[in-house]
Amino acid sequence: MMRFARAGLALCPLLQYAASAKPIVLGVDGVDVLEIRNPGTPTATIHPVGFGRARAAAAPAATPTGPSQPARIENYNWYGCQTEANGIRALSAFDYADDDMTLESCQAFCMSKGTALFGTEYGRECYCGDKLGPGSVTAPASDCSMPCAGNSLEYCGSGQRLSVYILNGTVLPTTTSSAAPAITTFPVKWSAQGCWEDGPNGRIMPTYQAPDNNELTPQSCAALCDGLGYSVSGTEYYRQCFCSNAIYNGGVKGTDDSKCNTPCSGDPQVNCGGAGYLTIYSRGTPQEFQPPVVQTGGLNGTWTYQGCYNDNINNTRTLPWELRMPGTMTASSCLYQCAQFGYAAAGLEYGEECYCGDPGDLTIAGSTKQPEADCNIACAGNASSICGGGSRLSTYYWTGSKPLYVFHYPKGNDAGTYSNLVGGVVTPLMTMQSITGKVTFLEKWGTGAANSTGAYELDLSQVGNFSQAWRTMHLKTDVFCSAGLILPDKAGRQLTVGGWSLDSTYGVRLYTPDGSDGVPGKNDWEENVNTLKLQRGRWYPSAMVMTNGSILVVGGEIGSNDKAEPSLEVLPTVGPYLNMDWLARTDPNNLYPFLAVLPGGGIFVGYWNEARILDEVTFDTVKTLPNMPGSVINPMSGRTYPLEGASVLLPQVAPYTDPLGILMCGGSTEGGGEALDNCVSIYPEADNPTWTLERMPSKRVMSCMAPLPDGTYLIANGAQHGVAGFGLATDPNLNALLYDPGRPVGQRISVMANTTVARLYHSEAITLLDGRVLITGSDPEDGVHPQEIRVEVFTPPYLYSSKPRPSFTITNKDWTYDAKVTVTLGTAPPSGSTVEASLLGAVSSTHGNSMGARTLFPAVSCSGRTCTITSPPSKYIAPPGWYQLFILQDGIPAVGEYVRIGGDPGRLGNWPSGAGFTRPGV
């Protein structure tokens, strides 16, 4: 869906040649592209950094069977294989990187920026400019030998080599022109600064060197530098002109001018420096910098320099995350950015490139320490410090007293296990466990298998008997990418709203669960568009039960990959739908927004990389929250479809005085599809809410999260690259994680067991009453992974404990708020045991969105086998609905029971009126 990963922030550089009497205008099809002026040589071959050289190139085969270098890409012609420049990028106006890079996509990007040259490097990097940087020279065509990441039949440069193309019509002829009028005055406010030694620590004006000029004077050099935006000019050895904005590398001013003794080529009456000396003029007194050294101080003891390490071994980056900081990079700025996103290794390269990763990445890449002299380029934002070199990283490791992250690696059953539960019959896109204990499977009926009916029910008590385990059910319209809920009415009806196209986008479907363990139900899904439908058609909406018992439906699109439906509405229908400007503005990255009732009475909405709190009556915004951090390389990363992560509410613990936390894990970047390797959390109702970022051990998009009875969260499913959608993600993430909010920030994630089943787009995870997590689905349609019908369960480590598992019975399953509820334990807990109760909101899982999820730990006290639970105090702590109740003994949950809290204040049991629907009553 997104075309480019990012554009560089560097300004388009000025052309090498400054004003002349007669400009040469280059154009294509009558459109002026750029203007190049000769700085005043009377007879010259005009070669502005290679624009006019006629170069022979072998034309590739018309239908290549292997990689080749095409002679033409749209309106750009093959220019040649070029080396990188000295100390800067050869093409430095704009850039982006993409794992789907092609010559065509790079050409389109640079054409959109209006540049005359584009070049590809390392197979996945695109650079644009109007000139080649100093030191970039022609390389053998065979050096550009790396296939493009997005098209293996094209070459996209190589390590330190660019496949360069030039805009058609920009070839400059060899011309003879009359000399330009001599420049006899200095720019305004420029004055002489004396004779300076050039070295011995390197050029003292390394920023820019003009082509040698046989008509050079101090005035013409100063005019050239002033026109290019520089404030210092230096002439040397008859005909050389240098420009910069300061004196670098510890330049020393001579005590007299005797060393600047070579006559200017354009005026022998004055001198233009000497052998190793510069005659310098500047606008004001020039700033001076000592020779750059490695920055080791000013880092507050948090980072330690490790040495100069090599990069691009086998054309692979040593550290995976690349940031560009043109004109501004310092060691401190790079290290700060890496630390903000939890990366404990940082590398600085080429003066303006910052790379983040982990110390282990250097070992994996085979990077080794190189001579310190190889790291010799000053930082773009601090000329006194070194920021790497050509393919050399000034490398730092985090050594602060507090680690950026600590991952735990339990072994054996302590890591949990994946196992097959039952043979499947369908590829679900939504699952929910009904109050009868059976599990509903809904799939994209109408776009799925020809014999599909769209809905099935699994009896978990019959998984050993395939024919008895599954019951076929039926849908009338397609629930593909709809929203789902379990309602607070006394029957615990299941609801889906929206769908794929036409009538299904308006669909409101209801199912009244029936039957019991081993006894098949008889009810089916009910729908009648003539009786009940949404006000607006919706594809990818979200839904939530409000505190008054009504159903809030938010967002979506009007149909499959169609325009936005940036509105919300309430069921049963009350008033008109309401348009939301923040939904319109953030389309299409806000689909399946995350919704939650807050204890303070507002409604939390998280979408794309934004979040806000709405008034529960007017739906006006009452608080705009800070934007979520995303990727270290892209602030426009997101957490909702199609940049899909997952979200849950952190536990609320009696007496519920702490603010409610929101946790989101995974997601992806806009454009590049770089899956995120972090979780973020916020307490929206805090006085000054901020997002806290925590690293995950691997990248994950299309993640699913399941709250567990002990207050932890299982993170599962997804891919390590791409975005949500058919065929848009690769590299399945087979590893489960456990997030424990009871541990310190940055130390909450444990790396759990692996599965062998890829769970990509349209996969789900829900917690069952028996304490396991049901893992289902995957419909990537990528030609690689199947439409997955296998049904797995993840068994958490608490079910492998050697301690006894508790049991309980309960008679009161319909709770009012702030009430005392009695449960009876199967056996009295051993002396010293801890008994807790937890409540998990009934969940409908789809697209990483666990609608209805909520975790509460109510107050509980026990005497022998009798325990008393104090129900949550209000609808803002526990919105009306069905909850899974678990009793835990020493952290081990009993098999749970469904209870209802808060009744049916919206009287949904009497809704909807009209034919075609069963109403359970209130």
Side-chain angles (χ1 to χ4, degrees):
M1 295 176 66
M2 321 311 178
R3 193 177 299 274
F4 303 118
R6 59 189 171 89
L9 301 179
L11 297 175
C12 183
L14 296 171
L15 295 175
Q16 180 169 332
Y17 286 76
S20 71
K22 184 178 181 181
I24 299 171
V25 179
L26 309 177
V28 178
D29 297 329
V31 179
D32 291 344
V33 176
L34 59 111
E35 183 175 277
I36 300 177
R37 298 174 183 266
N38 183 5
T41 305
T43 303
T45 301
I46 303 173
H47 286 163
V49 209
F51 266 52
R53 288 176 284 173
R55 310 177 75 166
T63 305
T65 57
S68 65
Q69 199 74 64
R72 183 181 179 90
I73 302 295
E74 296 294 334
N75 53 341
Y76 284 71
N77 298 322
W78 169 242
Y79 180 78
C81 185
Q82 289 285 136
T83 68
E84 275 292 3
N86 293 329
I88 62 172
R89 285 293 183 188
L91 296 172
S92 58
F94 304 97
D95 66 86
Y96 81 99
D98 189 358
D99 285 339
D100 294 318
M101 181 65 67
T102 66
L103 293 172
E104 289 77 10
S105 64
C106 183
Q107 179 271 336
F109 175 72
C110 294
M111 186 67 182
S112 73
K113 300 298 182 183
T115 64
L117 294 169
F118 81 83
T120 53
E121 186 172 350
Y122 291 122
R124 64 181 299 276
E125 300 174 5
C126 173
Y127 299 92
C128 317
D130 289 322
K131 68 174 185 179
L132 290 163
S136 176
V137 299
T138 305
S142 59
D143 282 9
C144 290
S145 58
M146 181 176 287
C148 301
N151 184 350
S152 61
L153 296 180
E154 298 175 341
Y155 286 127
C156 282
S158 188
Q160 305 300 302
R161 296 294 186 270
L162 293 101
S163 295
V164 178
Y165 285 78
I166 185 169
L167 187 67
N168 184 34
T170 58
V171 176
L172 292 178
T174 300
T175 61
T176 301
S177 61
S178 59
I183 299 173
T184 58
T185 60
F186 287 95
V188 177
K189 297 184 178 181
W190 283 63
S191 59
Q193 301 297 326
C195 182
W196 294 67
E197 183 179 4
D198 194 14
N201 299 312
R203 288 283 192 190
I204 66 172
M205 295 183 64
T207 312
Y208 176 74
Q209 180 179 358
D212 288 358
N213 183 357
N214 290 326
E215 296 296 320
L216 183 70
T217 66
Q219 294 92 332
S220 68
C221 180
L224 173 64
C225 294
D226 186 66
L228 291 174
Y230 297 107
S231 60
V232 184
S233 70
T235 55
E236 185 172 351
Y237 209 69
Y238 304 105
R239 57 182 61 84
Q240 295 177 350
C241 173
F242 297 84
C243 305
S244 71
N245 288 313
I247 304 297
Y248 300 97
N249 289 319
V252 177
K253 183 178 180 179
T255 56
D256 57 49
D257 293 344
S258 61
K259 298 291 187 177
C260 290
N261 53 19
T262 56
C264 298
S265 58
D267 183 357
Q269 302 304 311
V270 295
N271 290 328
C272 281
Y277 283 83
L278 284 162
T279 300
I280 290 180
Y281 287 77
S282 69
R283 186 191 313 118
T285 302
Q287 189 176 4
E288 299 179 40
F289 292 96
Q290 292 303 307
V293 295
V294 172
Q295 180 178 341
T296 57
L299 303 177
N300 298 319
T302 55
W303 290 88
T304 301
Y305 179 68
Q306 303 297 313
C308 182
Y309 280 75
N310 53 340
D311 193 12
N312 307 317
I313 301 111
N314 298 321
N315 295 317
T316 300
R317 290 292 189 196
T318 298
L319 297 173
W321 300 102
E322 176 185 358
L323 298 89
R324 296 295 176 86
M325 301 179 179
T328 63
M329 189 171 83
T330 66
S332 295
S333 63
C334 175
L335 302 181
Y336 173 81
Q337 192 71 0
C338 292
Q340 285 293 100
F341 286 84
Y343 298 108
L348 299 82
E349 188 169 334
Y350 269 123
E352 62 180 29
E353 299 174 9
C354 171
Y355 294 88
C356 303
D358 295 305
D361 291 329
L362 280 79
T363 303
I364 293 170
S367 180
T368 57
K369 189 176 291 189
Q370 303 298 307
E372 281 298 309
D374 285 8
C375 287
N376 53 19
I377 297 177
C379 302
N382 180 3
S384 296
S385 295
I386 287 176
C387 284
S391 290
R392 293 294 184 269
L393 292 162
S394 296
T395 303
Y396 294 78
Y397 287 170
W398 176 269
T399 53
S401 58
K402 180 181 178 181
L404 292 174
Y405 59 85
V406 174
F407 299 134
H408 308 280
Y409 295 88
K411 304 296 183 182
N413 288 339
D414 289 340
T417 60
Y418 277 92
S419 59
N420 290 320
L421 178 66
V422 65
V425 296
V426 66
T427 302
L429 56 82
M430 183 184 296
T431 56
M432 45 188 139
Q433 186 173 29
S434 71
I435 65 171
T436 66
K438 300 178 188 296
V439 180
T440 299
F441 284 62
L442 301 177
E443 66 118 7
K444 55 183 178 62
W445 174 73
T447 52
N451 63 347
S452 171
T453 63
Y456 298 84
E457 190 172 62
L458 174 63
D459 186 338
L460 294 172
S461 72
Q462 300 296 307
V463 293
N465 185 341
F466 180 84
S467 63
Q468 294 298 313
W470 292 99
R471 179 168 75 99
T472 301
M473 302 176 71
H474 306 82
L475 292 169
K476 295 180 179 179
T477 59
D478 196 344
V479 297
F480 179 18
C481 300
S482 60
L485 287 174
I486 293 178
L487 300 182
D489 61 38
K490 65 182 183 181
R493 285 183 300 172
Q494 297 175 0
L495 167 82
T496 68
V497 293
W500 181 50
S501 64
L502 303 176
D503 283 350
S504 67
T505 64
Y506 291 88
V508 179
R509 310 164 196 87
L510 290 162
Y511 164 55
T512 304
D514 62 339
S516 58
D517 287 351
V519 180
K522 297 181 180 180
N523 295 340
D524 210 334
W525 284 89
E526 299 172 337
E527 180 179 6
N528 185 344
V529 73
N530 296 317
T531 299
L532 177 64
K533 67 177 182 179
L534 295 172
Q535 296 182 59
R536 304 293 292 177
R538 299 178 188 275
W539 188 59
Y540 288 109
S542 289
M544 182 193 80
V545 176
M546 299 171 61
T547 58
N548 65 1
S550 299
I551 302 155
L552 178 64
V553 183
V554 179
E557 294 181 340
I558 66 172
S560 175
N561 293 315
D562 212 321
K563 63 183 180 181
E565 181 47 62
S567 67
L568 54 81
E569 61 181 281
V570 174
L571 293 173
T573 301
V574 178
Y577 63 90
L578 300 176
N579 284 316
M580 299 287 123
D581 64 319
W582 44 271
L583 283 174
R585 174 175 49 79
T586 55
D587 178 72
N589 294 326
N590 60 24
L591 304 178
Y592 277 134
F594 300 126
L595 307 174
V597 170
L598 296 175
I603 296 172
F604 171 87
V605 187
Y607 55 96
W608 193 4
N609 65 345
E610 299 182 8
R612 63 186 57 230
I613 300 175
L614 306 181
D615 183 275
E616 67 172 340
V617 176
T618 65
F619 303 110
D620 292 335
T621 296
V622 297
K623 188 176 186 178
T624 301
L625 298 169
N627 282 7
M628 308 167 196
S631 166
V632 68
I633 62 171
N634 191 341
M636 304 309 289
S637 308
R639 308 283 175 175
T640 52
Y641 183 94
L643 312 175
E644 182 183 306
S647 180
V648 292
L649 306 186
L650 292 173
Q652 297 170 270
V653 181
Y656 313 107
T657 53
D658 293 331
L660 173 63
I662 312 286
L663 174 68
M664 300 181 188
C665 293
S668 193
T669 60
E670 185 186 26
E674 292 286 352
L676 304 185
D677 61 356
N678 59 61
C679 298
V680 293
S681 57
I682 194 171
Y683 295 84
E685 294 180 310
D687 291 338
N688 295 295
T690 58
W691 291 95
T692 297
L693 183 142
E694 299 175 85
R695 276 283 307 280
M696 292 193 296
S698 56
K699 297 183 289 185
R700 198 180 298 259
V701 62
M702 299 181 293
S703 45
C704 295
M705 294 179 70
L708 299 182
D710 63 352
T712 62
Y713 299 86
L714 184 74
I715 306 171
N717 303 352
Q720 299 192 68
H721 184 83
V723 297
F726 291 132
L728 299 179
T730 58
D731 194 5
N733 195 323
L734 303 176
N735 178 237
L737 304 176
L738 192 70
Y739 183 93
D740 184 354
R743 286 180 163 172
V745 170
Q747 303 180 35
R748 294 175 168 177
I749 292 179
S750 296
V751 179
M752 307 300 280
N754 287 347
T755 181
T756 59
V757 181
R759 302 285 183 182
L760 300 168
Y761 186 49
H762 287 169
S763 60
E764 307 81 35
I766 61 170
T767 301
L768 301 174
L769 288 167
D770 65 11
R772 297 180 297 175
V773 178
L774 187 71
I775 305 288
T776 54
S778 188
D779 184 20
E781 298 192 17
D782 58 2
V784 178
H785 303 96
Q787 290 186 317
E788 189 59 67
I789 66 172
R790 284 176 287 182
V791 179
E792 292 179 289
V793 285
F794 179 87
T795 303
Y798 52 58
L799 293 182
Y800 289 108
S801 174
S802 59
K803 295 181 179 181
R805 186 176 190 183
S807 63
F808 73 96
T809 56
I810 181 172
T811 56
N812 179 6
K813 299 182 181 181
D814 202 353
W815 299 4
T816 58
Y817 291 114
D818 203 22
K820 304 296 184 181
V821 180
T822 300
V823 299
T824 302
L825 302 180
T827 58
S831 176
S833 294
T834 300
V835 176
E836 299 174 284
S838 65
L839 293 160
L840 302 183
V843 164
S844 172
S845 173
T846 185
H847 293 78
N849 199 326
S850 296
M851 299 180 200
R854 206 171 187 98
T855 300
L856 300 101
F857 282 84
V860 60
S861 60
C862 296
S863 176
R865 294 174 54 206
T866 301
C867 294
T868 302
I869 299 171
T870 302
S871 66
S874 77
K875 61 185 179 181
Y876 296 109
I877 300 299
W882 288 89
Y883 292 78
Q884 295 174 328
L885 168 66
F886 295 93
I887 298 298
L888 297 98
Q889 182 175 294
D890 296 328
I892 303 167
V895 174
E897 293 273 4
Y898 265 112
V899 298
R900 186 169 69 149
I901 302 176
D904 181 11
R907 305 185 69 81
L908 295 177
N910 293 334
W911 172 82
S913 59
F917 293 95
T918 300
R919 290 166 289 279
V922 176

